[in-house]
Amino acid sequence: MEISVLLPWVSGAISVITLLTLLKNMLSSGEKKLEERATKVENKLVEHDRRIQAIESDLKHLPDRETTHRIEMTMAQIMGRLDAQDATLAGRFEAMDERLKPIQAIGERLQDALIEQARNAA
């Protein structure tokens, strides 16, 4: 067998090997990028999972809808009682004010008398 007959086959085989090597390198570089991207996505997923767990643990301490409704109803009762107490106290203060008016008038008259005595003595 002559080398000239084998030469086109060898060069063709080398070309095919080169082409396959080139394709493998191109695909593996994309695979590396894909692996890097998958790692980033996985890290983000872990981060989101941690955040969700933190939110869930915070939500466990919050009251549920029924408890919140009971709190609202209790606060409404307390506000009603405070309003009634305000009205009662307002009535008492008005009565006290009426009772103190004569005492205030006596104090004013005494003050006027003392001022008048101080003027006459001077």
Side-chain angles (χ1 to χ4, degrees), residues 40-51:
K40 286 180 183 179
V41 169
E42 185 178 341
N43 290 339
K44 248 189 174 183
L45 182 63
V46 169
E47 179 185 339
H48 287 301
D49 186 46
R50 286 184 193 142
R51 290 174 59 194

Side-chain angles (χ1 to χ4, degrees), residues 95-111:
M96 185 65 76
D97 190 37
E98 289 298 319
R99 289 182 184 159
L100 289 176
K101 281 185 181 179
I103 297 171
Q104 182 182 4
I106 291 171
E108 288 174 359
R109 284 194 305 259
L110 281 173
Q111 183 180 0

Side-chain angles (χ1 to χ4, degrees), residues 20-101:
L20 290 176
T21 305
L22 179 64
L23 284 174
K24 180 189 172 271
N25 287 339
M26 287 175 59
L27 292 176
S28 66
S29 68
E31 186 177 304
K32 288 177 186 175
K33 289 180 183 178
L34 185 61
E35 286 177 8
E36 290 174 4
R37 188 171 176 199
T39 304
K40 286 180 183 179
V41 169
E42 185 178 341
N43 290 339
K44 248 189 174 183
L45 182 63
V46 169
E47 179 185 339
H48 287 301
D49 186 46
R50 286 184 193 142
R51 290 174 59 194
I52 289 170
Q53 287 177 355
I55 290 170
E56 286 176 347
S57 67
D58 287 345
L59 287 176
K60 286 180 185 176
H61 302 297
L62 294 178
D64 59 354
R65 185 169 55 160
E66 291 148 7
T67 306
T68 304
H69 181 67
R70 279 186 274 148
I71 290 170
E72 289 173 351
M73 296 304 292
T74 304
M75 288 182 72
Q77 288 176 350
I78 291 171
M79 291 301 294
R81 289 178 187 168
L82 287 175
D83 288 342
Q85 204 166 23
D86 282 348
T88 303
L89 287 176
R92 287 184 183 171
F93 285 138
E94 288 175 9
M96 185 65 76
D97 190 37
E98 289 298 319
R99 289 182 184 159
L100 289 176
K101 281 185 181 179

